[in-house]
Amino acid sequence: MAKVNRSRSTSPPDGGWGWMIVAGCFLVTICTRAVTRCISIFFVDFQTYFCQDYAQTAWIHSIVDCVTMLCAPLGSVVSNHFSCQVGIMLGGLLASTGLILGSFATSLKHLYLTLGVLTGLGFALCYSPAIAMVGKYFSRRKALAYGISMSGSGIGIFILAPVVQLLIEQFSWRGALLILGGFVLNLCVCGALMRPITLKDDQTTSEQNHVCRTETQGFQRASPSSTWTKEWVQTCLCGSLQQEYSFLLMSDFVVLAISVLFMAYGCSPLFVYLVPYALSIGVSHQQAAFLMSILGVIDIIGNITFGWLTDRRCLKNYQYICYLFAIGMDGLCYLCLPMLQSLPLLVPFACTFGYFDGAYVTLIPVVTAEIVGTTSLSSALGVVYFLHAVPYLVSPPIAGWLVDTTGSYTAAFLLCGFSMIFSSVLLGFARLVKKMRKTQLQFLAKESDPKLQLWTNGSVAYSVARELDQKDGESVAIAMLGSNPA
């Protein structure tokens, strides 16, 4: 194969091959997130075949989600050090192998290892690198591009939910898993579309790393066995990692990370228990699968329309607030769910929850990029999705335990709803405190120094006062109101 040259651009092209990147990411979300959510359709069949309770069966979906998010930084590392193409193709092979081996399982433990760990690891190598590539190709229309890309999850659920139910009825759950394993191999095709691109910021970082590697190789040739050469290598490696993950020390990112933990705890159980809950109130199997399809198609509308709306001039500066609103609305939907006891009432719920679920999922990369910048976006998204891991692992089994203990779904759904509302309130409170502090510091700075100059860099504000002459009895005033994303 001919070596593919890395495309060079001083700024994101906002089009061109970028739309092929969007198409590739769209297919990746179908093969990863949509397939993961359709595993809940197997829930009753797994529970019946292996004669297990809710909590034990829920671990399958939990492990897939957990490993996918837990290993997201690994996907970022592979794409950063090799290429996005290599990472996604390798992930497609692993995910397909896990699904195919899962079709031969003889116990839940076998499904934990194959369908859970192996498939989840494959999805992890694909998901965050594909999303990060969209951010490298788009700037002005980033939210729209992400909306189209992330809508693959909704379209996938809309199409796959009834198809998977039909496959289970025709070929049993084993045949359905085997066919899904072949379908997931399309991730290898998606990986081939991910043409690398080098932006201006990436060139600067790459040149610094190249200088470090060149100097290291020179020292190794000069004195390969010396102790100080090894120390120099360690220093270069540590410096590279510190630069790549410097955003971890940013206060805005820390708050976002904490909120993600509560948001992830709340969003996962619905996709596991919506079908069993619908069956428990007398809805048929086909109608329950239809609810998942509704979630999927409305998720598409939320992805695209919310992405397009927040790219408009009137909302461009309020994407953070829109993100909080969407999470809070999903939390309120959860609180209403125990009162909905029939299919006509569950359909509006599925529409509302699906729309705002698609809305905030679209804005996760946008909000992350606003905080850390484009250069560190791949690594930051890896960390953000990594933080989904533990909530995704524990929330469905905890919800299952609550169902087994109380005999109803009310406690499980209420806990998830309050968790998502708390996530939204936490981010809103942090932004309010930051804005109040910024206003207070600006007021104090103007009172103390009329020569103060203020400027804004993106979403991050700085106020720096000129160092004044100590002989005049004036002091130095430097007030920092944020962290430079560069």
Side-chain angles (χ1 to χ4, degrees), residues 176-250:
L177 283 180
L178 189 63
I179 294 172
L180 281 180
F183 172 75
V184 166
L185 273 175
N186 285 292
L187 285 170
C188 297
V189 180
C190 301
L193 296 175
M194 299 297 170
R195 179 189 297 171
I197 184 173
T198 302
L199 302 177
K200 183 177 180 180
D201 293 339
D202 297 332
Q203 290 175 356
T204 303
T205 304
S206 178
E207 290 172 358
Q208 293 174 352
N209 294 335
H210 177 70
V211 170
C212 182
R213 287 194 300 267
T214 303
E215 293 179 355
T216 301
Q217 293 172 358
F219 287 132
Q220 287 177 336
R221 286 194 296 267
S223 53
S225 61
S226 63
T227 303
W228 65 273
T229 301
K230 296 179 182 179
E231 294 177 353
W232 173 262
V233 173
Q234 293 175 354
T235 302
C236 285
L237 291 175
C238 292
S240 177
L241 289 174
Q242 184 178 5
Q243 183 180 8
E244 186 176 354
Y245 289 95
S246 59
F247 58 85
L248 292 174
L249 301 178
M250 297 170 58

Side-chain angles (χ1 to χ4, degrees), residues 157-381:
I157 295 173
F158 175 70
I159 297 174
L160 288 179
V163 170
V164 168
Q165 183 63 43
L166 181 63
L167 290 175
I168 293 174
E169 294 174 357
Q170 295 293 324
F171 305 106
S172 79
W173 64 267
R174 294 185 184 275
L177 283 180
L178 189 63
I179 294 172
L180 281 180
F183 172 75
V184 166
L185 273 175
N186 285 292
L187 285 170
C188 297
V189 180
C190 301
L193 296 175
M194 299 297 170
R195 179 189 297 171
I197 184 173
T198 302
L199 302 177
K200 183 177 180 180
D201 293 339
D202 297 332
Q203 290 175 356
T204 303
T205 304
S206 178
E207 290 172 358
Q208 293 174 352
N209 294 335
H210 177 70
V211 170
C212 182
R213 287 194 300 267
T214 303
E215 293 179 355
T216 301
Q217 293 172 358
F219 287 132
Q220 287 177 336
R221 286 194 296 267
S223 53
S225 61
S226 63
T227 303
W228 65 273
T229 301
K230 296 179 182 179
E231 294 177 353
W232 173 262
V233 173
Q234 293 175 354
T235 302
C236 285
L237 291 175
C238 292
S240 177
L241 289 174
Q242 184 178 5
Q243 183 180 8
E244 186 176 354
Y245 289 95
S246 59
F247 58 85
L248 292 174
L249 301 178
M250 297 170 58
S251 59
D252 287 348
F253 186 82
V254 172
V255 174
L256 176 66
I258 295 173
S259 72
V260 162
L261 293 174
F262 290 94
M263 179 269 292
Y265 179 90
C267 70
S268 180
L270 180 76
F271 296 95
V272 180
Y273 292 108
L274 179 60
V275 171
Y277 173 69
L279 294 175
S280 70
I281 61 175
V283 176
S284 67
H285 284 79
Q286 288 294 339
Q287 290 173 334
F290 176 66
L291 287 174
M292 292 296 293
S293 296
I294 293 175
L295 271 177
V297 71
I298 301 300
D299 192 277
I300 303 165
I301 299 174
N303 285 140
I304 298 176
T305 60
F306 220 71
W308 180 82
L309 286 172
T310 53
D311 265 342
R312 300 304 93 196
R313 183 177 301 177
C314 57
L315 293 177
K316 187 76 172 178
N317 296 327
Y318 300 99
Q319 291 175 332
Y320 192 92
I321 305 301
C322 294
Y323 173 74
L324 304 185
F325 176 75
I327 295 177
M329 287 301 298
D330 268 356
L332 291 176
C333 289
Y334 257 125
L335 300 184
C336 298
L337 183 55
M339 297 180 289
L340 310 178
Q341 299 290 325
S342 64
L343 181 65
L345 294 176
L346 287 176
V347 170
F349 164 81
C351 293
T352 306
F353 188 94
Y355 182 83
F356 288 108
D357 179 73
Y360 79 75
V361 167
T362 296
L363 292 179
I364 287 177
V366 177
V367 171
T368 305
E370 177 184 330
I371 293 174
V372 305
T374 304
T375 304
S376 302
L377 180 59
S378 179
S379 300
L381 282 176

Side-chain angles (χ1 to χ4, degrees), residues 344-427:
L345 294 176
L346 287 176
V347 170
F349 164 81
C351 293
T352 306
F353 188 94
Y355 182 83
F356 288 108
D357 179 73
Y360 79 75
V361 167
T362 296
L363 292 179
I364 287 177
V366 177
V367 171
T368 305
E370 177 184 330
I371 293 174
V372 305
T374 304
T375 304
S376 302
L377 180 59
S378 179
S379 300
L381 282 176
V383 174
V384 168
Y385 293 128
F386 169 82
L387 293 171
H388 285 67
V390 175
Y392 276 6
L393 177 66
V394 302
S395 59
I398 290 176
W401 176 79
L402 289 172
V403 173
D404 291 332
T405 304
T406 63
S408 71
Y409 291 85
T410 301
F413 290 152
L414 291 180
L415 181 60
C416 293
F418 285 122
S419 179
M420 296 195 77
I421 291 174
F422 178 77
S423 173
S424 178
V425 171
L426 176 64
L427 281 175

